Amino acid sequence: MGKRTICGFSRPDGFIRFARRQRIEDKALCEAVARAEKGLVDADLGGGVIKQRIARSGEGRSGGFRSIVLFRSGERAFFVYGFAKNVRDNIRSDELSAFKELAGEMFGYDDDAIAKALETGAIVEVKCDEQNLSK
């Protein structure tokens, strides 16, 4: 685990359910993180929270999905929220505040705490090979 761990929250209203419903492949999540690692962040919302675009399958990113990611370069990325661009434009300020608070909490977790969260199913790890992450 450790560096470049990419996770999504699996609670019923979490990102994993959204991604499955929208048929977002793990490769698309890996590519979103790879872009962020290169400094290609769609929107830096502060406090370890970024917004990244994810392409719809067979289409470009501009008309696709938006994801809220708790991101710390070279360490971890947690996909916490997703939405289609045609459903809403952005997140509310109270949601952003909650995501920033969550980022502080999640980045405080050590590898053991992350392993426990994975074991209980609270988060799900997305496996990315180095080829996908270095695009």
Side-chain angles (χ1 to χ4, degrees):
M1 215 169 346
K3 292 186 81 141
R4 291 188 169 156
T5 299
I6 303 169
C7 301
F9 283 80
S10 61
R11 51 179 226 261
D13 59 339
F15 183 83
I16 295 301
R17 182 172 183 207
F18 168 80
R20 286 181 183 146
R21 230 181 17 245
Q22 299 300 330
R23 296 185 176 96
I24 297 171
E25 296 180 7
D26 287 355
K27 181 179 178 183
L29 303 180
C30 294
E31 289 171 354
V33 172
R35 286 194 321 275
E37 288 288 353
K38 290 179 172 183
L40 302 172
V41 172
D42 293 320
D44 186 342
L45 305 177
V49 180
I50 64 171
K51 181 167 65 171
Q52 281 295 79
R53 292 184 290 187
I54 300 172
R56 289 181 190 268
S57 184
E59 298 181 31
R61 289 189 304 266
S62 64
F65 304 106
R66 304 299 180 260
S67 61
I68 302 300
V69 185
L70 312 180
F71 177 75
R72 186 168 285 166
S73 184
E75 291 184 29
R76 294 191 173 104
F78 297 95
F79 286 83
V80 294
Y81 186 68
F83 55 97
K85 181 181 178 185
N86 63 347
V87 172
R88 71 186 292 189
D89 289 326
N90 217 333
I91 58 172
R92 299 183 317 262
S93 61
D94 62 319
E95 291 172 314
L96 177 57
S97 294
F99 289 136
K100 287 180 180 181
E101 188 175 319
L102 182 59
E105 182 179 331
M106 295 305 296
F107 292 130
Y109 287 0
D110 61 13
D111 285 346
D112 289 338
I114 296 295
K116 285 179 186 171
L118 287 165
E119 188 178 302
T120 64
I123 59 175
V124 175
E125 187 171 12
V126 176
K127 304 287 186 185
C128 297
D129 60 28
E130 288 301 313
Q131 182 180 359
N132 285 340
L133 284 173
S134 61
K135 281 188 174 182

